[in-house]
Amino acid sequence: MAALCRDCLTLADPGARRRCPSCFSPRLIDHPERDELSLAHIDCDAFYAAVEKRDNPEIRDKPVIIGGGTRGVVSTACYIARIHGVRSAMPMFKALELCPHAVVVRPDMAKYSDVGHQIREMMLDLTPLVEPVSIDEAFLDLSGTEKLHGAPPAHVLARFAKRVEDEIGVTVSVGLSYAKFLAKLASDAEKPRGFSIIGRKEVMARLAPLSVGALPGIGKVSAERFAAMGYRTIADIQRVEQSFLARQFGEDGFRLWRLAHGIDDRRVEPERDAKSVSAETTFSTDIADAETLLPVLMELCEKVGRRLRQSELAGRTVVLKLKTKDFKSRTRNQTLPEPTRRAAKLYEIGRDLLHRELDGTRFRLLGIGVSDLYDADDADHGDLVDTKAKRGAELEEAMDRLRAKFGGQAVTRALIMRAPDDDDAEEAED
Amino acid sequence: MQVTVERSALLKSLGHVHRVVERRNTIPILSNVLLRASGGVLGLKATDLDLEVTESLPADVTQPGATTVPAHMIYDIIRKLPDGAQVSLETTGETGQMLIRSGRSRFTLQTLPESDFPDLAAGDMTHRFSLPAQELRRLIEKTQFAISTEETRYYLNGIYLHTAENDGGPVMRAVATDGHRLARVETAAPSGSAGMPGVIVPRKAVAEIIKLVETAGEEVGLELSPAKIRITFDSVVLTSKLIDGTFPDYQRVIPANNDKTLIVERGDFAAAVDRVSTISSERGRAVKLAVSDGQVTLSVTNPDSGSAVEELQADYAAAPIEIGFNARYLLDITEQLDSDTATFKLADAGSPTLVQDREGASALYVLMPMRV
């Protein structure tokens, strides 16, 4: 089969020299199951250190240790520092004994988080099925994306690794397989800048020499428990019958046997980043009457509706938030029969919730939002009673389009025209 | 108060009233049943402030009077007494207790004063008429399943009872919907019902009425006002508040122009739906109906567990159509039908479907399709 070059991304026969015929790179992928696997684990290499080196070229060729924060332990060691034996979670004084000339950098979590999110966004360009494990690693399920990308997952991932290097300036290691824990084993197998594949045919042989502790969910204690019964390597488990292991260790044994045979049914579970969408405003003077509050509520509902539509989301629980003039918070919520992204629906519910709170109290803040988020596809179908849902949703989408074309003030609801100006209004979204 | 009654008569009457009493009550008096003895009659009354049931039974009244005792407890006591026993109920004056004696058993129960017992002031009833018990039962039984439990649309939490014109004649209709399905059942309008207000009878009252009417004789009396409904038969009177809201204009969602008629054997169809839906998940209960010439294919696909297909003969001659329904709803509706066949009137995969025994039947059901 033709080999895929990770540097110039071409497919060609490498010939006897095992190098890319176009760019002479030795970084080739020619695994026989390369184009059949679609579950990946992507892990950034010495992430914090890599970001610091990117931002400060002077330390690029020096051993760099990120750490020394509050706890005085190594958070991340770059690969040069690792040559000297420095490891993560090692006490700082010990690390500096091993590598006295290391450059110590205090962690800048805000920066790493930013870079992590940039990389996450790039992952989401590949597939919506991205399950972040931490700031710098994630599982990706690329099944069924071949048509979309015009290339099999392995090719797409190689392209991704190169894109991260080129655009972000840090390197990643990719593990490709058919199950989560195998993908993770693979990405660990060849670091840094790795691309490793574990195929179905070789899985037994690849797992056999590893210690039982390499399996997910087996910590030090259970590994010792299994070792005491004679199971030190995965090969020891592969040798026995599943039912035998299940008798010996119960459900754990059952699970362990499956993992040792490369069976792992856990799916890639994408995370929903937003848990709610809302908008709120603080008034310049405290307000108690419906007359003044309702137009503001409508305006906020419009804003929330627009945000929901922009992010292809819908919410099923409407949350009204009020803050009294003496800073006491009141939140009230109402769950709907189906998710919505209609401002009109939010307003209808929000108005009822608000009316119950109007007892003469003066409010300094009013907010409305939705939680319990769903896909936009699940929203506003309406039913036998609510027959206007679908048309209402379409109307609001049309209003969005008009605003996009003619500007924000092009169309508005009559009620909003009465809203007072709030020069010092604040908005929030979480 | 001192009174002697027959155990089985008392048990039957308590059985009627005690169900109204909520098991958990924050207001102690609402846990009690009111007993009032006078003129050869023992009257019982229970309420939850929205619903009130009274009943009377013949009794040997030695000393007239009234008191209240815990409803579920006295019911359980009477239930456990031997059949055929005589029961004596006697208040013990100052100590505020009631003594129950039967054979060798004696119970004393704490009472609460009769004067604390709330009265569901009925006010003036504007309309009175009577309905055969069997017809009232039918109106309720066939619509009850479609009542919504959703709080947002509280006006759907009951059966909408009203009069209407159908084919030039006045009818009385019961309608219930939860938005996904709708049931509409009608009967000839009883005399005296003309001009009655359309009323929404709440779910709990509906459930009580259906249980009470099971034992009713021929005719049931109905009285209405815009705020209350009262049902009277034999010696039982049920009064309930109505849901204060506007029932939606259901008539416009009943499809009139669905031109694709599908007729299936009702029993076979229900059994097949039940079978294929075994495979479906808790969340998505959709069954797909692929209807073509003379046949309907039911199928369920559940990505987590597998799939199921079953073919049925059907009477169908229109253009082929594929449409999905919630299996539970299909079963609920086919269960309500009376004839051997079920007639579906379909339009398209996104529009409400009409289900009936046969065209023009007095009960009709509307079902929202699901995306499949």
Side-chain angles (χ1 to χ4, degrees), chain A residues 267 334-337 345 349 374 377-378 381-388, chain B residues 150 152-153 156 177 179-182 248 252-253 283 304 352 366 368 371:
Chain A
R267 294 186 189 184
Q334 171 87 63
T335 299
L336 305 173
K345 188 83 201 169
I349 305 293
Y374 285 73
D377 286 348
D378 297 328
H381 294 296
D383 58 25
L384 294 169
V385 179
D386 190 0
T387 49
K388 296 194 189 88
Chain B
E150 185 200 312
T152 333
R153 298 187 288 191
L156 301 179
T177 181
H180 303 291
R181 58 255 174 92
L182 178 144
R252 72 201 153 95
V253 298
R283 271 182 75 95
D304 292 329
V366 182
M368 255 326 246
R371 288 178 302 162

Side-chain angles (χ1 to χ4, degrees), chain B residues 124-204:
Chain B
D124 286 337
M125 292 296 186
T126 55
H127 289 75
R128 288 186 175 76
F129 49 90
S130 66
L131 205 59
Q134 183 192 329
E135 279 305 289
L136 180 62
R137 200 181 309 148
R138 195 175 71 91
L139 287 178
I140 294 177
E141 259 173 8
K142 294 198 176 301
T143 50
Q144 191 181 13
F145 74 96
I147 299 176
S148 169
T149 50
E150 185 200 312
E151 282 172 40
T152 333
R153 298 187 288 191
Y154 59 92
Y155 47 83
L156 301 179
N157 298 161
I159 292 178
Y160 180 48
L161 197 65
H162 62 296
T163 50
E165 287 281 315
N166 197 4
D167 281 337
V171 290
M172 170 160 285
R173 271 187 191 154
V175 180
T177 181
D178 63 1
H180 303 291
R181 58 255 174 92
L182 178 144
R184 191 195 84 182
V185 180
E186 60 192 27
T187 187
S191 66
S193 64
M196 70 171 243
V199 296
I200 308 170
V201 187
R203 157 187 292 280
K204 187 175 174 187

